[in-house]
Amino acid sequence: MPTGPQDMTNRTAFFISDGTGITAETLGQSLLAQFENIHFTKLTRPYIDTPEKAKAIVQQINAAAAKDGARPIIFDTLVNQEIRDIIASSQGFMVDILSSFLAPLEHELKERSSYSVGKSHAIGLNSNYADRIAAVNFALDNDDGARTHYYNKADIILVGVSRSGKTPTCLYMAMQFGIRAANYPLTEEDMENLRLPSSLQPHRHKLFGLTIDSERLSNIRHERKPDSRYSSYAQCEFEVREVEKLFKRENIKYIDSTHFSVEEISARILVEMGIERRLK
């Protein structure tokens, strides 16, 4: 018998850092994704840089342990040992992400790491910072077909039906890879004659399509506009079918985003399109 949502185990996961928490959250999320039969309540707690903040987090961890009846999982990139000791006094199970990776690297490289707070995201030392911010701003400015006259500056343009995952994918590629990604939603009007919008015609070589399971799309749209034609299964099935026809006719590469995370979608797009990340 297949496992249903009601059969899932519920656990809480904390991503704790004395910096932004990006490293703890990114690596922690990737690890938790391997456990499909467990539902995780995920809580990110950045800038835990004083004993007082650490003690407050311990209370949250212990409350989660009592609620779940199981130890919360703690992914941390804490440097200050005093703060780590306070967090370790909680009822959680700690996974020190940085030391797990740095210790074997230090052994192999025969060199001690700096292991300093915020090192991997330090603006002053990160030559990629300006590229990252520019890419994020580009994704926001060129979201949802709002502007099309900057498409000549785009590295890639994602196309697909509304709510197929274009915006989060664009933002992820911008943030993680420095890719200038725009996105254009294909509307019912575009599908009536099964044509590629004129604003996209000059940029065919930059287009990449996202499609999605019709039932999944209906559920997503229902959260935004319940009981509407927009969210009905019939409408979603029509749009997905027509868009996939368009992709095939226009020879546009595409993937089904239904069962992939935004990280997987982004990685697959870059490989398919042969795009090199700007951030090294």
Side-chain angles (χ1 to χ4, degrees), residues 46 221 243:
R221 288 183 173 184
V243 161

Side-chain angles (χ1 to χ4, degrees), residues 86-117:
I86 294 173
I87 300 295
S89 70
S90 71
Q91 298 174 29
F93 174 76
M94 293 188 72
V95 180
D96 183 353
I97 291 178
L98 287 184
S99 67
S100 298
F101 290 102
L102 286 176
L105 275 175
E106 288 176 339
H107 177 75
E108 173 63 26
L109 298 174
K110 299 179 177 58
E111 177 75 23
R112 295 289 294 175
S113 64
S114 58
Y115 200 22
S116 59
V117 177

Side-chain angles (χ1 to χ4, degrees), residues 3-253:
T3 300
Q6 68 275 15
D7 301 316
M8 284 191 173
T9 301
N10 294 309
R11 298 289 290 267
T12 301
F14 285 84
F15 308 108
I16 301 176
S17 175
D18 36 21
T20 63
I22 292 174
T23 300
E25 185 173 3
T26 300
L27 291 176
Q29 293 267 29
S30 297
L31 292 171
L32 293 181
Q34 309 308 312
F35 301 91
E36 298 179 353
N37 292 326
I38 301 177
H39 174 266
F40 291 99
T41 299
K42 301 169 185 177
L43 304 172
T44 302
R45 298 294 182 264
Y47 301 112
I48 306 303
D49 50 11
T50 67
E52 291 72 25
K53 292 180 181 179
K55 291 173 184 176
I57 292 298
V58 167
Q59 293 181 2
Q60 295 180 32
I61 295 170
N62 291 345
K67 179 176 179 291
D68 296 341
R71 291 194 294 176
I73 309 300
I74 303 169
F75 296 96
D76 82 272
T77 52
L78 296 165
V79 174
N80 186 295
Q81 190 58 47
E82 179 185 5
I83 293 176
R84 288 205 84 246
D85 289 342
I86 294 173
I87 300 295
S89 70
S90 71
Q91 298 174 29
F93 174 76
M94 293 188 72
V95 180
D96 183 353
I97 291 178
L98 287 184
S99 67
S100 298
F101 290 102
L102 286 176
L105 275 175
E106 288 176 339
H107 177 75
E108 173 63 26
L109 298 174
K110 299 179 177 58
E111 177 75 23
R112 295 289 294 175
S113 64
S114 58
Y115 200 22
S116 59
V117 177
K119 183 73 173 181
S120 60
H121 302 291
I123 293 175
L125 301 178
N126 191 345
S127 60
N128 293 319
Y129 181 74
D131 288 337
R132 188 191 306 274
I133 296 303
V136 170
N137 286 335
F138 184 90
L140 293 173
D141 287 341
N142 295 274
D143 180 49
D144 209 25
R147 300 181 182 180
T148 60
H149 50 282
Y150 294 122
Y151 282 0
N152 61 314
K153 298 180 180 180
D155 295 311
I156 190 169
I157 304 167
L158 298 187
V159 292
V161 300
S162 171
R163 314 306 286 183
S164 58
K166 300 183 301 301
T167 296
T169 301
C170 285
L171 288 172
Y172 183 86
M173 288 194 293
M175 191 71 181
Q176 296 299 321
F177 307 133
I179 299 299
R180 293 188 298 266
N183 78 77
Y184 187 100
L186 294 168
T187 66
E188 188 173 0
E189 290 73 23
D190 296 319
M191 299 168 209
E192 286 180 352
N193 297 318
L194 201 63
R195 69 183 188 277
L196 195 64
S198 58
S199 58
L200 299 180
Q201 292 281 357
H203 310 288
R204 287 171 175 269
H205 62 292
K206 297 181 180 181
L207 302 182
F208 193 94
L210 292 185
T211 186
I212 187 172
D213 177 75
S214 302
E215 184 174 355
R216 173 63 178 154
L217 179 61
S218 177
N219 290 336
I220 293 172
R221 288 183 173 184
H222 185 76
E223 294 178 3
R224 185 180 183 188
K225 294 184 179 180
D227 302 321
S228 64
R229 180 171 177 271
Y230 169 78
S231 64
S232 69
Y233 175 80
Q235 179 64 23
C236 292
E237 195 275 335
F238 164 74
E239 291 185 22
V240 169
R241 182 181 68 247
E242 294 303 307
V243 161
E244 289 184 0
K245 286 182 182 178
L246 179 63
F247 291 158
K248 293 173 182 176
R249 195 194 73 183
E250 300 290 341
N251 198 28
I252 297 172
K253 295 180 179 179

